[in-house]
Amino acid sequence: MSLPRFLARAGLALAVALPLLAQADATLTLDQVIAGPQRTPARQQRDVYRHPAQTLDFFGLRPNQTVVEVWPGGGWYTEILGPYLNGHGRYYAAQVSADVDKERADEVTGFDKTLGTHPELYDHVAVLTFEPPQQVDIRPAGGADLVLTFRNVHNWLKDGSAPAAFAAFYRALKPGGVLGVEEHRAAPGTSLQQMIDTGYVTEEAVIKLAQSAGFKLAARAEINANPNDTKDYPNGVWSLPPSYKGGDQDRARFAAIGESDRMTLKFIKPAP
């Protein structure tokens, strides 16, 4: 079956789908990719909480960059970054190892499924293994322009590998490169143990980790703030969507709150 006929049957908009699926040399706008048919509808519905266009623009994403996303999970941002960088840039996914991290094995399976859904969009994706503090070499040839990580710092705090992780991000970047961090935000003064227990991390803790690795804080944004998040739930941040760890208990209340209040921080690796 021809590509246009397939797309017509699927009811996809050719103006968006054809550049995504057939024109690797075209430069797509970020908005085109975010609205593209390659995105899973369930993931697209979360844009209202995750603000991908504003977030990636704040971090300075450009289509010709070399970008490393650290622990991409099932591939929520991969559906955007992979096609956007296809042709002119390069996308590296620094993924967990399912053999090492059994708790996150389902995410690796989901990520592999994402890549297999549209291989013509993702065949350029390079997958690295990132398991701090042992496996931390995620520097692409020539270095990265941008290293991104979304809602992962609490995991590295929990296992004590956060300093090693941030040091790896620093090594992966070119001088002048950017580290973009989004993380569930705790109230100032929250203890380390509370951060580990609840999944919420203070901005102070993230900034200290980054600065200790050599980064300079360049900017903060409130793109992913949620003032309705009171951060005092029995199952921590996992009480909220999309996790709903408490099951049906207070589910309607948590759904009304939405996803967590999040910091969005931009760091620079200083030029020598």
Side-chain angles (χ1 to χ4, degrees), residues 175-208:
V178 170
L179 169 65
V181 179
E182 179 192 311
E183 178 58 287
H184 312 295
R185 178 165 50 191
T190 300
S191 70
L192 174 59
Q193 189 58 54
Q194 287 174 311
M195 295 184 216
I196 292 169
D197 292 342
T198 66
Y200 291 98
V201 181
T202 64
E203 286 195 17
E204 179 186 15
V206 175
I207 293 170
K208 184 177 180 180

Side-chain angles (χ1 to χ4, degrees), residues 138-177:
I138 55 172
R139 178 180 171 84
D145 299 292
L146 188 57
V147 171
L148 301 173
T149 187
F150 301 94
R151 302 168 309 282
N152 287 311
V153 178
H154 58 279
N155 295 298
W156 301 318
L157 286 175
K158 182 177 180 179
D159 65 16
S161 67
F166 278 80
F169 306 157
Y170 190 87
R171 290 192 299 271
L173 284 163
K174 302 173 183 176

Side-chain angles (χ1 to χ4, degrees), residues 6-228:
F6 169 78
L7 294 173
R9 284 193 176 186
L12 302 174
L14 290 176
V16 175
L18 280 175
L20 283 170
L21 300 178
Q23 298 177 15
D25 60 341
T27 299
L28 300 170
T29 68
L30 188 57
D31 286 340
Q32 280 179 309
V33 175
I34 289 171
Q38 85 287 354
R39 296 195 64 208
T40 307
R43 290 175 176 167
Q44 211 162 19
Q45 290 171 7
R46 298 177 66 186
D47 288 358
V48 65
Y49 301 118
R50 294 192 166 187
H51 313 101
Q54 299 96 316
T55 300
L56 293 173
D57 184 64
F58 172 71
F59 291 145
L61 177 70
R62 298 293 180 267
N64 62 344
Q65 289 178 324
T66 297
V67 178
V68 178
E69 183 186 2
V70 183
W71 281 15
W76 197 94
Y77 265 103
T78 303
E79 290 185 339
I80 299 170
L81 293 168
Y84 184 67
L85 296 166
N86 190 3
H88 296 287
R90 193 69 195 271
Y91 172 62
Y92 290 80
Q95 185 63 284
V96 300
S97 169
D99 294 333
V100 175
D101 197 333
K102 302 298 185 184
E103 293 183 3
R104 301 174 71 92
D106 288 346
E107 293 184 2
V108 177
T109 300
F111 180 79
D112 291 342
K113 182 178 179 181
T114 295
L115 296 188
T117 301
H118 287 292
E120 67 278 10
L121 297 179
Y122 304 116
D123 60 1
H124 69 292
V125 173
V127 181
L128 310 172
T129 299
F130 184 69
E131 286 288 354
Q134 289 83 18
Q135 293 177 282
V136 292
D137 184 7
I138 55 172
R139 178 180 171 84
D145 299 292
L146 188 57
V147 171
L148 301 173
T149 187
F150 301 94
R151 302 168 309 282
N152 287 311
V153 178
H154 58 279
N155 295 298
W156 301 318
L157 286 175
K158 182 177 180 179
D159 65 16
S161 67
F166 278 80
F169 306 157
Y170 190 87
R171 290 192 299 271
L173 284 163
K174 302 173 183 176
V178 170
L179 169 65
V181 179
E182 179 192 311
E183 178 58 287
H184 312 295
R185 178 165 50 191
T190 300
S191 70
L192 174 59
Q193 189 58 54
Q194 287 174 311
M195 295 184 216
I196 292 169
D197 292 342
T198 66
Y200 291 98
V201 181
T202 64
E203 286 195 17
E204 179 186 15
V206 175
I207 293 170
K208 184 177 180 180
L209 282 165
Q211 290 177 337
S212 295
F215 288 102
K216 302 294 184 184
L217 177 64
R220 311 180 197 215
E222 291 299 303
I223 298 163
N224 297 297
N226 181 358
N228 297 320

